[in-house]
Amino acid sequence: PRGSITRLHSDVLHSFSWSYNVTGSKKWTFYIPNIKSDSETTSDNDTCRSFEVIQNTGETIFVSSKIKHEVVNLVETLSINHNWITSDNIDNTWQCICSEIDAIEGEIKEWEVIPEDDFEARENMLRGCIGLDVTTFFLMILLEVSELLVQVFSTIDAMTEKHNDNEIHDSALSICSLVKVL
């Protein structure tokens, strides 16, 4: 409805996302963290740079991983949204999962009702909080690594026929990104 708001957030699991407006108009406000050094950022909204974008009917907005944003429907609006994880943001997703694990462990210690060795309960709680557990996350990574390895070996085989370094380079970089998380 007109005036409805999606409050300040970053997308689930620090995923990438896009939003396509089927009809209507939205105002997006993006908050870009200030970089203090190579490894330190601040996400305090008072010190972040922000900018606004008006999205109209037929337009698509891309939102990068971990970018905080809020959205206001300026008129009655219908949108289609999609979130995804790739080797480019898998490390951010792992950080999100670790943060949730820490929160769950804090709750478990506070309530003292779940035994230390009950990992199934922890996985269930994690799935309930973020829709993904550690087991499924690592199975997802292993599946992607195996698909990339098939692509690398196919590319190596094809290189005997023609030279194509870009495909093998891209696959190797993706494998390295995924293996870093493992």
Side-chain angles (χ1 to χ4, degrees):
R2 180 177 193 221
S4 59
I5 298 171
T6 302
R7 302 248 178 247
L8 183 65
H9 70 286
S10 61
D11 285 325
V12 63
L13 295 170
H14 298 317
S15 59
F16 294 127
S17 68
W18 57 256
S19 176
Y20 172 77
N21 267 9
V22 176
T23 186
S25 179
K26 295 181 176 207
K27 178 177 80 171
W28 293 73
T29 305
F30 294 95
Y31 298 89
I32 309 303
N34 291 321
I35 306 297
K36 289 183 177 179
S37 68
D38 288 342
S39 62
E40 191 178 352
T41 62
T42 176
S43 59
D44 180 5
N45 293 336
D46 294 333
T47 63
C48 287
R49 295 176 290 136
S50 67
F51 65 94
E52 294 180 351
V53 175
I54 303 298
Q55 178 189 20
N56 295 304
T57 298
E59 295 178 343
T60 303
I61 295 279
F62 169 78
V63 181
S64 191
S65 178
K66 295 176 76 173
I67 299 298
K68 292 189 175 184
H69 57 282
E70 54 191 356
V71 185
V72 178
N73 288 324
L74 301 176
V75 296
E76 188 82 20
T77 303
L78 175 65
S79 297
I80 300 171
N81 303 286
H82 181 68
N83 297 75
W84 74 98
I85 301 166
T86 71
S87 58
D88 290 325
N89 65 341
I90 196 79
D91 54 337
N92 292 335
T93 301
W94 180 242
Q95 288 173 359
C96 179
I97 291 170
C98 288
S99 176
E100 286 297 322
I101 289 170
D102 289 345
I104 288 169
E105 288 299 328
E107 290 180 32
I108 288 172
K109 283 180 184 168
E110 184 176 325
W111 289 95
E112 299 179 349
V113 293
I114 297 175
E116 276 190 40
D117 63 348
D118 191 346
F119 296 105
E120 184 176 347
R122 287 163 170 77
E123 291 279 78
N124 287 336
M125 292 173 76
L126 196 55
R127 268 193 313 277
C129 291
I130 59 174
L132 184 66
D133 60 34
V134 173
T135 302
T136 304
F137 177 75
F138 280 102
L139 287 173
M140 180 179 75
I141 290 175
L142 290 171
L143 176 63
E144 182 65 16
V145 167
S146 66
E147 289 174 355
L148 288 167
L149 285 172
V150 167
Q151 184 177 349
V152 166
F153 292 128
S154 297
T155 303
I156 290 170
D157 288 343
M159 285 175 69
T160 58
E161 297 173 22
K162 65 179 184 172
H163 191 68
N164 189 348
D165 286 337
N166 288 338
E167 285 182 38
I168 195 163
H169 182 263
D170 291 346
S171 296
L173 280 177
S174 292
I175 290 169
C176 289
S177 295
L178 294 167
V179 169
K180 270 196 315 190
V181 174
L182 289 174

